[in-house]
Amino acid sequence: MPPATRPVDTAAAVTPSSSNGFAPLRVKRVVQETADAVSLIFEVPDGDRERFAYRSGQFVTLRVLIDGHEHQRCYSMSSCPVLEADLQVTVKRDRGGLVSNWLNDNAAVGAEYSVGPPEGRFVLTDTDRELVAFAGGSGITPVISLLRSALTATPRRAGLFYANRGRDSIIFADALAQLETEHPERFSLRHHLDESAGVVSQQHVAEFMRGRGNADVYVCGPGPFMDTVETALLEFGVPRQRIHLERFTAVAAPAPDTNGAVITEEVTIQLDRTTVTQPYRAGNTLLQTARLAGLKAPSSCETGSCGTCMAQVTEGSARMLNNDALDDDEVAEGWVVTCQAIPTSPTVRVVYE
């Protein structure tokens, strides 16, 4: 997008020191993927390559200042670490998306953004099983990295079911077509366009899964799309441990219902050498409670996916609205992702390591 067409720049990249692993990275190229999606290719200096080494499917956190306020957003890498030295993220414009819309309007070559180190567990399993992916809209971002890595560095077969509103919304259309050309016997692609085929249904999912019951399945996209796909996969008989989910949006906390339920009065939080007891505000997560107590608790994605905000509940109890970061053993030991954890006992003690 030429500079003359950009609106007034009311934001700026944040380039603080590399605290918490963040470091300033320069934008090397900007690619307009579709009318509402842009890719930012970052140049990683030689001295930072180890810090920013990543696996396909992982994400980084960007810090951006807009109207004087700092915002952090997580974006998955759409580049492939086995093929490219630079790091690329792809951002789709979103209704009401403050940071994503600003990046689409203002991203420019030469700009520096404060970028956190790669995180996330939405990565390839160490197996030769077929990889099947279901992506909706911008959910293709981590998926295309997974597909390219699997097809380039392993003998695995792969299939992609990619849903969009219409043909103009397809991100990486040419790159996906190239994968079909390069791997005709190992890669199959099905484009699903809502405008002609209707919204994705469980039947669509089951049809694509025929003959693929032994696959590892990766799902990323809008919440309703992911819910439909996950339900269909479980009914199809795919073991839950082979279904990998990456959610871009947080699960909203339900309105508090105290009818007959335990009312939490206070939460004690231990972070580093500080211990604070904070009166509990109904409906808040443990992370929100820590912030109300004036603590700078660690956090990143705030969707329950990365595990950055994990802490251990040592007294009392809490339930998680969403958890794509911790395994069953960790949960059994009292670990929670605090961005998604709601207290369920009169008092709760949380310890950050």
Side-chain angles (χ1 to χ4, degrees):
M1 184 183 297
T5 66
R6 291 196 178 101
V8 176
D9 185 354
T10 59
V14 183
T15 56
S17 62
S18 57
S19 60
N20 297 323
F22 280 78
L25 296 185
R26 188 181 70 87
V27 176
K28 182 178 181 180
R29 286 195 301 130
V30 177
V31 178
Q32 194 73 46
E33 303 289 357
T34 66
D36 59 358
V38 64
S39 288
L40 280 63
I41 296 89
F42 290 99
E43 183 176 11
V44 181
D46 290 340
D48 286 326
R49 290 208 173 275
E50 183 176 352
R51 182 193 309 183
F52 286 96
Y54 67 95
R55 297 173 65 185
S56 288
Q58 290 190 305
F59 61 86
V60 291
T61 303
L62 268 62
R63 285 176 176 168
V64 175
L65 279 176
I66 299 179
D67 294 332
H69 298 284
E70 180 181 306
H71 302 270
Q72 293 191 16
R73 294 294 187 273
C74 300
Y75 296 108
S76 298
M77 268 71 76
S78 51
S79 47
C80 176
V82 300
L83 293 174
E84 292 131 359
D86 296 321
L87 184 155
Q88 172 179 304
V89 300
T90 302
V91 184
K92 184 176 181 180
R93 189 182 296 277
D94 182 36
R95 182 183 300 176
L98 178 65
V99 177
S100 60
N101 292 342
W102 184 85
L103 287 171
N104 268 268
D105 290 333
N106 295 279
V109 172
E112 281 190 347
Y113 293 85
S114 183
V115 183
E119 300 177 84
R121 302 188 182 188
F122 190 69
V123 296
L124 293 174
T125 54
D126 186 16
T127 176
D128 288 338
R129 284 192 294 267
E130 182 176 6
L131 184 161
V132 175
F134 290 85
S138 60
I140 190 63
T141 304
V143 166
I144 193 169
S145 184
L146 292 169
L147 291 170
R148 294 177 70 205
S149 283
L151 292 169
T152 301
T154 79
R156 301 174 71 168
R157 296 176 61 85
L160 170 63
F161 181 102
Y162 186 20
N164 284 281
R165 292 189 304 273
R167 192 162 298 279
D168 291 343
S169 301
I170 299 174
I171 305 174
F172 308 130
D174 291 342
L176 291 172
Q178 184 176 349
L179 285 181
E180 281 190 295
T181 300
E182 294 176 347
H183 308 281
E185 297 181 356
R186 295 172 53 211
F187 177 60
S188 61
L189 169 65
R190 179 177 301 177
H191 285 292
H192 178 99
L193 304 180
D194 292 352
E195 62 184 16
S196 58
V199 297
V200 175
S201 67
Q202 293 185 35
Q203 182 178 350
H204 291 130
V205 176
E207 289 174 352
F208 192 72
M209 285 299 298
R210 286 176 186 166
R212 297 185 166 106
N214 194 43
D216 284 331
V217 187
Y218 291 77
V219 187
C220 188
F225 167 83
M226 292 187 65
D227 293 341
T228 296
V229 174
E230 182 181 14
T231 300
L233 292 172
L234 292 172
E235 292 189 359
F236 188 80
V238 180
R240 186 174 293 276
Q241 63 268 26
R242 291 188 187 173
I243 302 175
H244 308 272
L245 307 172
E246 180 79 325
R247 300 185 186 276
F248 284 168
T249 56
V251 179
D257 179 8
T258 60
N259 183 21
V262 174
I263 299 175
T264 302
E265 298 176 355
E266 61 184 27
V267 177
T268 299
I269 304 165
Q270 181 179 330
L271 175 61
D272 296 329
R273 297 182 180 181
T274 301
T275 300
V276 177
T277 297
Q278 173 73 19
Y280 179 65
R281 182 180 299 174
N284 278 0
T285 64
L286 292 178
L287 177 60
Q288 290 169 324
T289 304
R291 288 170 174 166
L292 287 173
L295 298 175
K296 294 184 178 180
S299 65
S300 183
C301 73
E302 301 197 20
T303 67
S305 300
C306 71
T308 301
C309 67
M310 66 184 291
Q312 190 173 28
V313 175
T314 59
E315 297 177 16
S317 60
R319 68 181 179 89
M320 288 182 284
L321 302 169
N322 183 58
N323 170 35
D324 294 324
L326 307 179
D327 59 33
D328 292 341
D329 290 340
E330 291 170 321
V331 174
E333 293 174 356
W335 292 97
V336 296
V337 279
T338 57
C339 69
Q340 296 290 311
I342 302 290
T344 56
S345 58
T347 61
V348 177
R349 186 180 185 89
V350 184
V351 178
Y352 285 91
E353 285 198 350

